[in-house]
Amino acid sequence: MLTNVDFLRSKMSEAGWKKLDALKNEKLNAFIEEFARRCNPASIYICDDGAADEAYIRETALKKGEEHPMALANQTIHWDGYKDQGRDKRATRYIAYPEDFEKMKSLGTLPYEEGLGEILGIAENIMEGKEAVVKFFAEGPARSPFTVPCVQFTDSFYVAHSECLLYRPAYDHFLNMKAAEKDDFFRFIHSAGKTDERNCSVNLDKRRVYIDTRNDIVYSMNNQYAGNSIGLKKHSMRLAINKSGREGWLCEHMFLMAVLNEKKNRKTYFAGAYPSACGKTSTAMVPGEKIVGDDIVYFRNIKGEFRGVNVEQGIFGIIKDVNAQDDPVIFKNLMLNQETIFSNILLGPDRTPYWQGCGMETPAEGRNHHGAWKKGDKDEEGREIPLAHPNSRYTIRLDYLDNFDKEGFEAKEGVKVQGVLYGGRDSDTTVPVEESPSWENGIMLKACSLESETTSATLGQEGVRSPSPMANLDFVSYPLGEYVLNNLNFVRGMKETPKIFSTNYFMKGPDGKFMTGKLAKKVWLRWAEGRIHGEYGAYETPTGKIPLSADLKNLFKLHLDEDFSEADYEYLFSFRCDKWLEKLARTAAFFKKMDPDAQDRLFDYWKKAAKKIEAAKKKYGAVIKPGDYKG
Ligand code: GTP
Ligand code: MN
């Protein structure tokens, strides 16, 4: 398709056209022209990587009232609509060609033509009278083996502003693309749609996020909540998972961090997958270690090494319960005059931020996600409006943090990852930390069987388990069985394979209370770090290797000044045969349901693992104490 240059020029300033024209990218021009025609914005602002354009985006978000000023000049606040406060899973669909439709059905599909027709209908004139913005970003470091270049076209300056903080700029990357690369980038088109006097999307019945993994494009309409609107985050993740499946690399829902040793002469990189609200950010932020990223990691085999990068450059973090005690580093940064976007929290009369569990005295009135707010106010459904939404967030750049691992973050070839952690929310089955004997064993028994339990913070029954293979279920965009095989095969031919560990921070004692404190994860991390360097002994279990009590006693004393009791050790590290057998049965049933075509190899593996546990149960009893199991 040849672009109509005159039409494009009529939609932007001469400076904007110069920036676009310099990229000499016909596919890009065609994309912008198509949606300039369909969505019909009054004008389009084209950005390069310069500070002037970032400043324009921020100022425009403020001028349009998508963000509001706060007491500290560099902080702003944004509110999403009262009913646009979380990812809309129901309205998020893959639009799938006939040949993909059946095998992707369990992931949530619509027939391609039907879905495309619907979303393009919604897009018709949706930006009428508004200014739109186009900005270029990279997933991963730009101009690296990991880079996925992306273009975001949106009429929300809040979305563009968030992306400026969260993603690396890539206008220069587009400028320097070789001819052969020019077709290969992700495209995101977003519109907040019609908004009310508070600047919130109103046509929520027409809120849609439609993902086309064949053409690497995501259409997002009539929403503002970042999880629905920001192309570069979860939408991009879905495209990247599909792409990585085709190309043989990995895109995972993981943090990336460096764990140090006592002498601080060793830096060992770990990546860790935990379902939402199960501890990614809090693990990556453990005091005394270093953070590279807290949400999305790409892995590639680079010269035979298992290497990973943080896809992002910022944190879009849950703010609830962030306080000076539990999250000292984040809390401190949220109190500083540096570029921060708060979303859906309370703006007090003093124009400073407040949220649930902030550890500060909170005012009885202010402005929040419902508008003007007084303590005790009820919503349309008669429910009391909390001072802030439980899913309210902060958006900041990572490089503000003292514990930021700049070296690892900037490495174009990523960091060499030596440990991979999988952690769920599990009150009664898995031990706090366990090493897998092999990569395959770790993927099959630790990653595939990952589950999360509902907490009292969510509606419905407490303690209900939901499967969350690799903590990635919401974003896996090709059949689950194939995805597991890609994980298994990824390490083929590598010189060294990372050790896989499971962790569980959420084991409960007989009294129903958590057995370990929030900082205990430091001990599990340091034990895993030591194991990678051959430093600690271990006992065998039917599923892996667990720490010796003496080593943990030392680590607890050293790092937390706590006495770790023998009784706690025995309780936490006992192997519960029946619980494990149930867990494996649930895992196999779930895979069968999600992907009936998954290879027998997977089910055979779980059958064999179950046999081993049954044999152990016969020999050692249903609950096996640490040290008793001898194979
Ligand atoms: P997303 O950003 O939504 O993907 O979540 P996340 O995986 O980054 O989770 P995060 O680290 O923000 O933690 C989620 C919740 O778990 C918070 O309420 C934490 O306070 C709580 N939490 C984290 N670590 C622990 C722990 O070791 N023990 C207990 N009991 N709670 C924890
Ligand atoms: Mn997080």
Side-chain angles (χ1 to χ4, degrees):
M1 193 203 308
L2 253 192
T3 318
N4 183 333
V5 171
D6 290 338
F7 172 76
L8 272 180
R9 291 179 83 147
S10 75
K11 285 284 180 187
M12 55 192 70
S13 67
E14 199 48 35
W17 167 249
K18 271 203 180 123
K19 288 182 215 168
L20 187 60
D21 189 41
L23 299 179
K24 302 270 173 267
N25 190 317
E26 199 47 46
K27 179 172 168 178
L28 176 67
N29 289 352
F31 168 66
I32 296 172
E33 181 185 345
E34 178 182 354
F35 288 94
R37 286 187 192 278
R38 289 188 191 281
C39 304
N40 193 23
S43 63
I44 305 173
Y45 188 93
I46 308 281
C47 301
D48 59 23
D49 295 342
D53 286 346
E54 291 211 0
Y56 178 77
I57 287 173
R58 185 177 181 277
E59 279 156 24
T60 310
L62 279 163
K63 201 173 77 194
K64 292 189 183 217
E66 291 186 63
E67 292 175 33
H68 305 272
M70 301 180 72
L72 296 177
N74 292 319
Q75 298 189 333
T76 55
I77 186 163
H78 161 85
W79 289 292
D80 299 304
Y82 193 64
K83 296 195 167 156
D84 188 22
Q85 296 284 324
R87 272 192 287 124
D88 185 347
K89 292 196 203 181
R90 218 171 37 136
T92 303
R93 288 278 170 265
Y94 296 101
I95 53 173
Y97 284 111
E99 57 270 39
D100 299 329
F101 188 78
E102 275 308 314
K103 57 181 188 176
M104 285 178 72
K105 209 168 168 180
S106 65
L107 305 171
T109 46
L110 274 179
Y112 190 83
E113 294 299 333
E114 181 193 325
L116 186 66
E118 185 194 359
I119 198 79
L120 294 181
I122 290 173
E124 199 76 22
N125 287 321
I126 197 167
M127 297 180 184
E128 198 171 353
K130 293 204 216 175
E131 179 182 17
V133 55
V134 169
K135 190 156 170 38
F136 305 91
F137 297 99
E139 300 283 33
R143 311 208 54 71
S144 82
F146 292 90
T147 317
V148 173
C150 301
V151 56
Q152 174 79 60
F153 184 151
T154 176
D155 60 12
S156 165
F157 283 75
Y158 157 70
V159 165
H161 184 201
S162 300
E163 290 177 331
C164 290
L165 302 190
L166 292 172
Y167 301 95
R168 288 175 256 220
Y171 178 83
D172 264 9
H173 184 100
F174 274 83
L175 197 59
N176 290 299
M177 274 177 173
K178 296 190 189 83
E181 299 167 340
K182 286 196 180 217
D183 270 356
D184 196 5
F185 56 92
F186 290 176
R187 293 168 292 171
F188 303 103
I189 174 81
H190 165 258
S191 174
K194 191 165 170 252
T195 52
D196 59 15
E197 67 290 346
R198 295 177 57 228
N199 277 301
C200 298
S201 299
V202 291
N203 291 326
L204 295 186
D205 57 324
K206 294 208 169 61
R207 175 168 61 200
R208 299 287 185 277
V209 177
Y210 284 177
I211 304 151
D212 174 356
T213 57
R214 286 249 174 180
N215 299 298
D216 288 333
I217 180 166
V218 180
Y219 310 86
S220 170
M221 299 286 150
N222 292 307
N223 62 67
Q224 289 164 306
Y225 170 68
N228 295 317
S229 61
I230 291 186
L232 278 279
K233 201 159 185 86
K234 300 304 189 199
H235 306 341
S236 174
M237 196 173 163
R238 291 179 165 96
L239 295 182
I241 289 173
N242 191 281
K243 185 177 171 69
S244 64
R246 282 180 266 133
E247 297 174 356
W249 47 282
L250 296 176
C251 168
E252 298 298 317
H253 192 201
M254 289 187 178
F255 67 75
L256 187 58
M257 72 185 296
V259 178
L260 310 178
N261 64 342
E262 216 35 48
K263 291 187 189 144
K264 298 205 187 296
N265 59 358
R266 195 163 74 192
K267 230 174 171 183
T268 307
Y269 286 98
F270 281 82
Y274 296 65
S276 284
C278 290
K280 282 183 301 299
T281 306
S282 29
T283 305
M285 291 295 296
V286 161
E289 317 295 351
K290 296 210 152 235
I291 183 171
V292 183
D294 81 325
D295 201 32
I296 310 171
V297 178
Y298 291 168
F299 295 107
R300 280 182 181 269
N301 175 343
I302 295 187
K303 300 183 199 112
E305 288 185 345
F306 190 110
R307 299 190 77 94
V309 292
N310 177 11
V311 166
E312 309 181 283
Q313 66 165 16
I315 304 187
F316 173 63
I318 300 176
I319 201 166
K320 184 169 178 275
D321 294 332
V322 170
N323 55 55
Q325 267 76 50
D326 294 335
D327 288 282
V329 183
I330 297 277
F331 186 81
K332 183 186 105 183
N333 276 279
L334 297 181
M335 296 294 125
L336 297 177
N337 187 20
Q338 54 195 7
E339 195 168 4
T340 305
I341 310 173
F342 292 97
S343 51
N344 304 317
I345 62 165
L346 181 76
L347 183 67
D350 52 358
R351 305 191 81 72
T352 61
Y354 299 97
W355 59 90
Q356 293 160 312
C358 59
M360 304 180 280
E361 201 171 319
T362 55
E365 59 178 31
R367 284 197 86 73
N368 69 5
H369 57 299
H370 195 266
W373 174 86
K374 278 191 321 306
K375 201 177 163 121
D377 276 356
K378 300 223 158 62
D379 66 14
E380 291 67 26
E381 272 127 43
R383 276 192 289 260
E384 183 162 339
I385 304 162
L387 94 147
H389 193 275
N391 191 31
S392 51
R393 304 251 174 177
Y394 60 89
T395 302
I396 56 169
R397 291 179 207 273
L398 273 161
D399 59 11
Y400 292 157
L401 307 177
D402 300 335
N403 55 338
F404 177 55
D405 184 47
K406 190 166 189 285
E407 179 193 32
F409 174 81
E410 285 179 351
K412 296 262 187 215
E413 300 211 327
V415 295
K416 181 178 156 193
V417 174
Q418 292 181 279
V420 176
L421 307 170
Y422 288 96
R425 192 178 271 267
D426 172 10
S427 58
D428 63 9
T429 307
T430 58
V431 300
V433 64
E434 183 174 59
E435 178 187 324
S436 288
S438 68
W439 178 259
E440 183 184 30
N441 191 282
I443 294 295
M444 295 303 302
L445 292 194
K446 306 300 205 251
C448 288
S449 70
L450 213 56
E451 295 173 307
S452 178
E453 287 170 8
T454 52
T455 63
S456 52
T458 51
L459 294 175
Q461 212 187 332
E462 208 178 319
V464 178
R465 270 179 256 255
S466 54
S468 191
M470 279 78 162
N472 212 359
L473 188 65
D474 277 357
F475 315 108
V476 169
S477 47
Y478 62 106
L480 204 52
E482 287 175 36
Y483 168 67
V484 173
L485 290 185
N486 189 33
N487 264 271
L488 290 173
N489 294 337
F490 179 63
V491 297
R492 273 195 194 155
M494 282 190 194
K495 288 183 272 195
E496 195 185 318
T497 310
K499 271 191 195 295
I500 292 181
F501 299 85
S502 63
T503 61
N504 178 21
Y505 307 151
F506 301 96
M507 180 60 111
K508 288 183 178 169
D511 59 357
K513 291 200 178 114
F514 291 122
M515 292 280 296
T516 50
K518 276 195 192 173
L519 287 175
K521 44 175 85 69
K522 172 108 184 170
V523 168
W524 319 135
L525 283 173
R526 287 298 180 104
W527 183 78
E529 194 270 348
R531 284 293 296 174
I532 286 168
H533 300 284
E535 283 172 7
Y536 297 113
Y539 288 134
E540 298 276 330
T541 78
T543 52
K545 293 179 177 138
I546 54 170
L548 307 178
S549 138
D551 291 329
L552 293 184
K553 277 199 175 69
N554 287 338
L555 286 166
F556 266 96
K557 197 74 203 163
L558 184 64
H559 296 296
L560 307 174
D561 197 25
E562 279 177 29
D563 294 311
F564 187 59
S565 76
E566 197 58 35
D568 279 3
Y569 172 71
E570 199 177 292
Y571 187 90
L572 283 164
F573 285 93
S574 282
F575 187 86
R576 294 164 171 82
C577 296
D578 294 322
K579 294 283 181 195
W580 255 104
L581 290 169
E582 289 163 18
K583 189 178 179 64
L584 288 179
R586 286 194 301 271
T587 302
F590 183 69
F591 270 77
K592 200 84 221 164
K593 185 181 97 184
M594 289 299 290
D595 184 7
D597 295 330
Q599 290 196 358
D600 291 341
R601 169 181 168 188
L602 308 185
F603 301 96
D604 291 345
Y605 199 97
W606 294 317
K607 257 188 225 146
K608 249 173 68 188
K611 278 218 175 97
K612 187 173 173 189
I613 295 170
E614 271 157 9
K617 183 181 167 187
K618 257 199 197 128
K619 202 159 161 192
Y620 302 102
V623 177
I624 308 173
K625 293 205 174 102
D628 285 358
Y629 180 78
K630 301 281 185 289

